[in-house]
Amino acid sequence: MSAIKSPPSSKLFTLGLVSAWYSSNIGVLLLNKYLLSNYGFKYPIFLTMCHMSSCALLSYIAIAWMKIVPLQTIRSRVQFVKISALSLIFCASVVSGNISLRYLPVSFNQAIGATTPFFTAVFAYLMTLKSEDWLTFITLIPVVTGVVIASGGEPSFNLFGFIMCVGATAARALKTVVQGILLTSEGEKLNSMNLLLYMAPIAVILLLPATMYMEENVVGITIALARQDFGIIWLLIFNSSLAYFVNLTNFLVTKHTSALTLQVLGNAKGAVAVVVSILIFRNPVSVTGMAGYTLTVLGVILYGEVKKRSSK
């Protein structure tokens, strides 16, 4: 069967989508770092709640009003409980990731985040007893080794930030595995945009008491900051909107390319984010740290290649 060539307009559209995905993804990461570390807005749970509020509102507008994708309804109480469980894991991942950005540079944060395939393989085995073949596990050795090397050579290493970042990466992998287990039946499957539509409001409800208890009077502090510099409000609105567009462009890139292409682009995105963050924040990077990160990325690329061949 011969391949059908995409028209130039289609290629330009796909290139535009990928550029939008890269920009929003790296943008939200850098803005989170700026707000939580450089600006001194030390409220990662509240920031995550702003993100989830934006995702809830913009998801509703995109699906119910603009009809970007058809609305899928929740069909049972059991399905709602499953989505709530996913939302809890999702919250843990985003909050932990935002906390880690207070203590770690973006470059090191991305190096740890690249180990997601390792955690996915571990959780898949523990929860489904589905083991990868030996070659797949061998490709995960450089993924983990690279992070160990990068950790030893990281000038700005912080143990608490490291633990939070590993926790965020593990939670992200756990969500992928749990989502595959929980929403398997044809009647329960939701596309990522509809899943976000239901997960985001649940996340806001879960984060609200955590914010009030752990980040007391954060609303009052934010209002006080806004009186001194109203720019903080625009930063929060822009940052929260970008958090939604990360999900939207992620969905659209997958739709117009493939999940495998997204994985390859994601690996490259991590490297781009590292370079951009070093240029912007000027955080010190050692040769050992960069060598470790490079080894991790190479391991992830090898992992993707092996998975692609085993799925054929």
Side-chain angles (χ1 to χ4, degrees):
M1 190 176 172
S2 61
I4 298 169
K5 288 186 178 180
S6 301
S9 58
S10 175
K11 287 182 179 177
L12 278 173
F13 178 72
T14 305
L15 185 64
L17 278 179
V18 172
S19 300
W21 180 56
Y22 266 46
S23 302
S24 58
N25 220 302
I26 296 170
V28 78
L29 188 68
L30 297 178
L31 265 175
N32 284 350
K33 176 64 180 174
Y34 175 74
L35 280 165
L36 295 165
S37 183
N38 297 59
Y39 190 90
F41 188 78
K42 300 175 181 179
Y43 306 101
I45 303 174
F46 177 72
L47 183 63
T48 307
M49 193 174 78
C50 290
H51 289 180
M52 293 301 101
S53 300
S54 172
C55 286
L57 175 64
L58 294 176
S59 290
Y60 182 78
I61 292 170
I63 296 172
W65 290 2
M66 298 175 69
K67 303 191 186 299
I68 288 177
V69 292
L71 176 65
Q72 295 171 290
T73 55
I74 296 178
R75 301 189 177 187
S76 67
R77 186 178 294 179
V78 173
Q79 188 185 14
F80 175 75
V81 171
K82 290 175 179 180
I83 292 169
S84 298
L86 282 173
S87 187
L88 181 62
I89 299 167
F90 184 55
C91 279
S93 166
V94 179
V95 170
S96 300
N98 284 342
I99 290 172
S100 75
L101 284 171
R102 275 190 61 190
Y103 302 95
L104 299 177
V106 173
S107 52
F108 189 43
N109 180 284
Q110 288 294 286
I112 299 167
T115 61
T116 303
F118 167 76
F119 288 103
T120 304
V122 170
F123 284 128
Y125 177 72
L126 290 174
M127 299 178 76
T128 66
L129 297 180
K130 180 188 172 185
S131 179
E132 302 282 0
D133 59 68
W134 63 272
L135 193 59
T136 305
F137 279 114
I138 286 174
T139 63
L140 290 172
I141 294 171
V143 172
V144 178
T145 306
V147 170
V148 172
I149 294 169
S151 302
E154 175 53 53
S156 309
F157 182 83
N158 178 282
L159 182 59
F160 179 69
F162 176 77
I163 292 168
M164 284 291 103
C165 197
V166 170
T169 307
R172 195 158 50 242
L174 179 62
K175 177 187 169 287
T176 301
V177 175
V178 172
Q179 187 174 328
I181 296 169
L182 294 183
L183 303 177
T184 49
S185 70
E186 205 56 45
E188 288 185 334
K189 279 184 182 176
L190 297 172
N191 63 48
S192 61
M193 296 314 298
N194 273 276
L195 186 59
L196 184 66
L197 172 68
Y198 295 116
M199 278 174 50
I202 296 168
V204 173
I205 292 166
L206 292 170
L207 290 167
L208 185 59
T211 304
M212 291 172 70
Y213 178 72
M214 298 175 72
E215 297 176 343
E216 195 176 350
N217 197 31
V218 64
V219 176
I221 292 166
T222 306
I223 291 168
L225 281 171
R227 283 174 180 158
Q228 296 170 19
D229 176 20
F230 197 77
I232 182 68
I233 301 298
W234 292 118
L235 273 174
L236 287 172
I237 291 171
F238 182 58
N239 188 20
S240 300
S241 300
L242 268 185
Y244 171 72
F245 283 106
V246 168
N247 291 280
L248 176 63
T249 52
N250 186 299
F251 170 77
L252 291 172
V253 169
T254 309
K255 184 181 175 183
H256 289 275
T257 56
S258 67
L260 187 64
T261 303
L262 191 77
Q263 187 182 42
V264 173
L265 290 169
N267 297 337
K269 175 188 65 64
V272 173
V274 168
V275 173
V276 172
S277 69
I278 291 169
L279 290 172
I280 291 175
F281 295 114
R282 310 279 181 183
N283 55 282
V285 180
S286 67
V287 175
T288 308
M290 285 309 294
Y293 180 68
T294 303
L295 183 61
T296 296
V297 171
L298 288 174
V300 172
I301 291 167
L302 283 172
Y303 172 83
E305 281 299 310
V306 171
K307 288 287 284 181
K308 182 172 70 174
R309 289 179 186 181
S310 64
S311 64
K312 284 181 179 177

